[in-house]
Amino acid sequence: MEKSVSSPVSIYALGGLGEVGKNMYCFETNNSIIIVDAGVKFPSSDLPGIDYIIPDFTHLKNNRNKVKALFITHGHEDHIGAIPFLIQSIHIPVIYAPRLACALIKNRLEENKLLTQVNIVEYDDLSTIKAGEFGVSFFRVTHSIPDSFGIIIDTPEGRIVTTGDFKIDLTPIGPDIDIAKMAKLGSDGVDLLLSDSTNAENEGYTPSEKNVYDSIVDIFDEAQGRLIVSTFSSNISRIQQILDVAVKHNRKICIVGRSMEKAVEISRAFGYIKIPDDVIIQSCNIKNFRAKDLLIICTGSQGETMAALSRIASGEHKDVKIMPGDTVVFSSSAIPGNGIMIDHVINILTRCGAEVVTNSIVNDVHSSGHASKQEQRLVLKLLKPKYFMPVHGEYRMLKIHAETAMNLGIKESHCFILDNGQSLQLVNHKVTVSYPVESGVTYIDGKNINGLESAVINDRKILVEDGMMTIALSVDSKENILLVPPTIYSRGLINQGSQRSIDECSALVMDAVNAQLKKKTTFNDIKTVVKNVAGEYIYRRTNRHPMIIPVIMSKK
């Protein structure tokens, strides 16, 4: 019998390596590609006007005929948020997702009028799926959202396992992690493991969600006025606990923020959040209740400008204003890069008279959904991989996770710390480094699926940091002379009252343009001269490099 030709399996990330967010991991043979997760990353304050950051799909577009399926591990935005942009870029034959993630994906696609463009199929821990040359099955894990799964990918060349986001919570809000199935996988043999590295720097175990419950009860017991609790709209387990405590303390519940409203609506419809209808009130009715009888739960725990908590703090929300005596609880940890925005909101809340409670040793109001070192060690012991690729983390997290694996006996040469676009190859149960694929980032402003180029982002940064100068020239093209001195407008650079600086810059530009007009020249040459002369002058005066925009009006 003739031996079949080998089809090496390439493993690479288009997002999720060297960063926390925009997770997207791909597995490719000569004929097939399957994708695990398609998430967004939320921009930090140094990316003005950007709504989301998503992976660059160029490699998938160039291999669109090979794409067989998208598999989703769970329903957090950093794993499903890029789906609307992905399915507008390439045809995805089918999306496989757990029950709650299916509902969240469908809602997102319905909002974007894309629901009919893709087939969405629900899976559970008993499902087995054939996608091209890949056999895919699943095991349940615990995380901060229900219905979270690890994924088993069987190929002709060997077995790959990815944990998805997880922690080992022995007293979870919801089903247990399937340790028995993971141990069986380890006994059967795992060639390559991809595992969550977000908390790789933290020794010990991540506290259970049950620990947070006691802290929430204490806060409710002590609060004499309104309680305003902010958390991620996708942290369904936390929301359920907060609402349970509110019901026990006879507080009416007001849900504020579109994403929070939708998350609670979907979770109630599927039975993940259970609260009586009569305890929920609309924001327009909160004035009808005493402060001590109210809970307001909202988004905005990361200080996002347009989120509900920021609008409440700044007085921009039509129904909810901060009052002295309010207790505001941040039931989340800061995403790297968001600390300044969170501090800004806390300062505003405090100035308005609210007592602000954040996660600390004293107030245990948040528990991460990600595994710390001891849980990572346990997973490595259970699954016993021959090769290891840490994922979902900044570079230092990936490196520490790899060191943890090496300390457990995995060879250094068998641990791979990669960047997005770098790839591994699995052939006959052996993993080696392979050729990179095209990767990068796409900046989303609004709903434009094409995204913005880095040059546009750089222009915005220049405008924010260094300001802008427009220099208008009136030129007689026949006589090759300036008709009037240049007119200069500046924003964020030189005060319009600093007329001396404006006049000096105008004079220098006029001399340079007149000299240029004596030569054989073009409008582009004139614009270059204007940028150079004005740029040098402004740098000498302000130590800034503003955006300089020459505008030439020609009389023929």
Side-chain angles (χ1 to χ4, degrees), residues 71 74 82 158 182-183 197 216 256 285 293 305 328 335-336 340 363 387 394 398 413 428 471-472 481 507 541:
F71 293 87
H74 65 282
M182 295 168 73
S197 306
I216 294 171
V256 178
N285 294 324
D293 294 333
T305 306
V328 181
I335 294 174
I340 294 174
N363 301 300
Y387 299 88
E394 295 179 0
L398 305 180
S413 61
N428 193 24
I471 303 175
I481 58 170
R541 290 299 302 264

Coordinates of all heavy atoms in Angstrom, one line a residue, residues 71 74 82 158 182-183 197 216 256 285 293 305 328 335-336 340 363 387 394 398 413 428 471-472 481 507 541:
F71 N -13.4 28.4 15.2 CA -13.8 27.8 16.5 C -13.6 28.9 17.6 O -12.5 29.5 17.7 CB -13.0 26.6 16.8 CG -13.2 25.4 15.9 CD1 -12.5 25.3 14.7 CD2 -14.2 24.5 16.3 CE1 -12.8 24.2 13.9 CE2 -14.5 23.4 15.4 CZ -13.8 23.3 14.2
H74 N -14.7 30.9 24.0 CA -15.6 31.5 24.9 C -16.0 32.9 24.4 O -15.5 33.4 23.4 CB -15.0 31.6 26.4 CG -13.9 32.5 26.5 ND1 -12.6 32.1 26.1 CD2 -13.7 33.8 27.0 CE1 -11.7 33.1 26.3 NE2 -12.4 34.1 26.9
A82 N -13.7 40.5 16.9 CA -13.3 40.8 15.5 C -14.1 40.0 14.5 O -13.9 40.1 13.2 CB -11.8 40.4 15.3
G158 N -0.1 14.8 14.4 CA -0.1 14.8 15.8 C -1.2 15.6 16.4 O -2.1 16.1 15.7
M182 N -8.7 16.2 30.9 CA -7.4 16.7 30.6 C -6.3 15.6 31.0 O -5.3 15.5 30.3 CB -7.2 18.0 31.4 CG -8.1 19.1 31.0 SD -8.1 20.5 32.1 CE -6.5 21.2 31.8
A183 N -6.5 14.9 32.1 CA -5.6 13.9 32.5 C -5.6 12.8 31.4 O -4.5 12.2 31.1 CB -5.9 13.3 33.9
S197 N -1.3 32.6 29.2 CA -0.1 33.1 30.0 C -0.4 34.4 30.8 O 0.5 35.0 31.4 CB 1.0 33.4 29.1 OG 1.4 32.2 28.3
I216 N -18.3 41.4 48.3 CA -19.5 42.1 47.7 C -20.6 42.2 48.8 O -21.2 43.3 49.0 CB -20.1 41.4 46.5 CG1 -19.1 41.5 45.3 CG2 -21.4 42.0 46.1 CD1 -19.4 40.6 44.1
V256 N -27.2 50.0 33.5 CA -26.9 51.2 32.6 C -25.7 50.8 31.7 O -24.7 50.2 32.1 CB -26.5 52.4 33.5 CG1 -26.1 53.6 32.7 CG2 -27.6 52.7 34.5
N285 N -36.4 56.0 36.2 CA -37.3 55.8 37.4 C -36.5 55.8 38.7 O -37.1 55.7 39.8 CB -38.1 54.5 37.3 CG -39.1 54.6 36.2 OD1 -39.7 55.6 35.9 ND2 -39.3 53.4 35.6
D293 N -32.0 52.0 48.6 CA -32.7 50.9 48.0 C -32.3 50.6 46.5 O -33.0 50.0 45.8 CB -34.2 51.2 48.0 CG -34.7 51.2 49.4 OD1 -34.1 50.5 50.3 OD2 -35.7 51.9 49.7
T305 N -13.9 56.5 27.9 CA -14.5 57.8 27.8 C -16.0 57.7 27.5 O -16.8 58.5 28.1 CB -13.9 58.7 26.7 OG1 -12.5 58.8 26.9 CG2 -14.4 60.1 26.7
V328 N -19.1 53.8 44.8 CA -18.8 53.3 43.5 C -17.8 52.2 43.6 O -16.7 52.4 44.2 CB -18.3 54.5 42.6 CG1 -18.1 53.9 41.2 CG2 -19.3 55.6 42.5
I335 N -6.7 46.8 32.8 CA -6.0 46.3 31.7 C -4.7 47.2 31.5 O -4.8 48.4 31.6 CB -6.9 46.4 30.4 CG1 -8.1 45.4 30.6 CG2 -6.1 46.0 29.2 CD1 -9.1 45.5 29.5
P336 N -3.6 46.5 31.2 CA -2.4 47.3 31.0 C -2.6 48.5 30.0 O -3.2 48.3 28.9 CB -1.4 46.3 30.4 CG -1.8 45.0 31.0 CD -3.3 45.1 31.0
I340 N -4.2 55.3 33.6 CA -4.4 56.8 33.7 C -5.8 57.1 33.5 O -6.4 58.0 34.2 CB -3.5 57.4 32.6 CG1 -2.0 57.3 32.8 CG2 -3.9 58.9 32.4 CD1 -1.1 57.8 31.7
N363 N -10.1 45.2 50.0 CA -11.4 45.0 49.3 C -11.2 44.0 48.2 O -10.7 44.4 47.1 CB -11.9 46.3 48.8 CG -12.1 47.3 49.9 OD1 -12.9 47.1 50.8 ND2 -11.4 48.4 49.8
Y387 N 5.8 19.5 23.4 CA 6.3 20.8 23.0 C 5.3 21.8 23.6 O 4.1 21.5 23.8 CB 6.3 20.9 21.5 CG 7.3 20.0 20.8 CD1 6.9 18.7 20.5 CD2 8.6 20.4 20.6 CE1 7.8 17.9 19.8 CE2 9.5 19.5 20.0 CZ 9.1 18.3 19.6 OH 10.0 17.4 19.0
E394 N 1.7 39.3 27.2 CA 2.8 40.2 26.8 C 4.1 39.3 26.9 O 4.1 38.3 27.5 CB 2.9 41.4 27.7 CG 1.6 42.3 27.5 CD 1.6 43.5 28.3 OE1 2.6 43.7 29.1 OE2 0.7 44.3 28.3
L398 N 4.8 35.5 28.5 CA 5.1 34.3 27.7 C 6.4 33.7 28.1 O 6.6 32.5 28.3 CB 5.2 34.6 26.2 CG 4.0 35.3 25.6 CD1 4.3 35.6 24.1 CD2 2.7 34.5 25.7
S413 N 14.6 23.6 24.2 CA 14.4 23.5 22.8 C 13.0 23.2 22.4 O 12.7 23.3 21.2 CB 15.4 22.5 22.2 OG 15.2 21.2 22.7
N428 N 5.0 14.6 11.9 CA 5.3 13.3 12.5 C 5.6 13.4 14.0 O 6.6 12.9 14.5 CB 6.4 12.6 11.8 CG 6.5 11.1 12.2 OD1 5.5 10.5 12.6 ND2 7.7 10.5 12.0
I471 N -0.4 76.8 6.2 CA 0.2 78.0 5.5 C -0.4 78.2 4.1 O -0.2 77.3 3.3 CB 1.7 77.8 5.5 CG1 2.3 77.6 6.9 CG2 2.4 79.1 4.8 CD1 3.8 77.3 6.9
A472 N -1.1 79.2 4.0 CA -1.8 79.5 2.7 C -1.0 80.5 1.9 O -0.6 81.5 2.3 CB -3.2 80.0 3.0
I481 N 5.2 84.8 -9.0 CA 5.4 85.6 -7.8 C 4.3 85.3 -6.8 O 3.3 84.9 -7.1 CB 5.4 87.1 -8.1 CG1 4.1 87.5 -8.8 CG2 6.6 87.5 -9.0 CD1 3.9 89.0 -9.0
A507 N 7.5 85.6 7.2 CA 8.5 86.3 6.5 C 9.5 85.3 5.9 O 10.0 85.4 4.8 CB 9.2 87.3 7.4
R541 N 11.7 77.4 17.9 CA 10.9 78.2 18.9 C 10.2 77.3 19.9 O 10.1 77.8 21.1 CB 9.9 79.0 18.1 CG 10.4 80.2 17.3 CD 11.2 81.2 18.2 NE 10.3 81.7 19.2 CZ 9.7 82.9 19.1 NH1 9.8 83.6 18.0 NH2 8.9 83.3 20.1

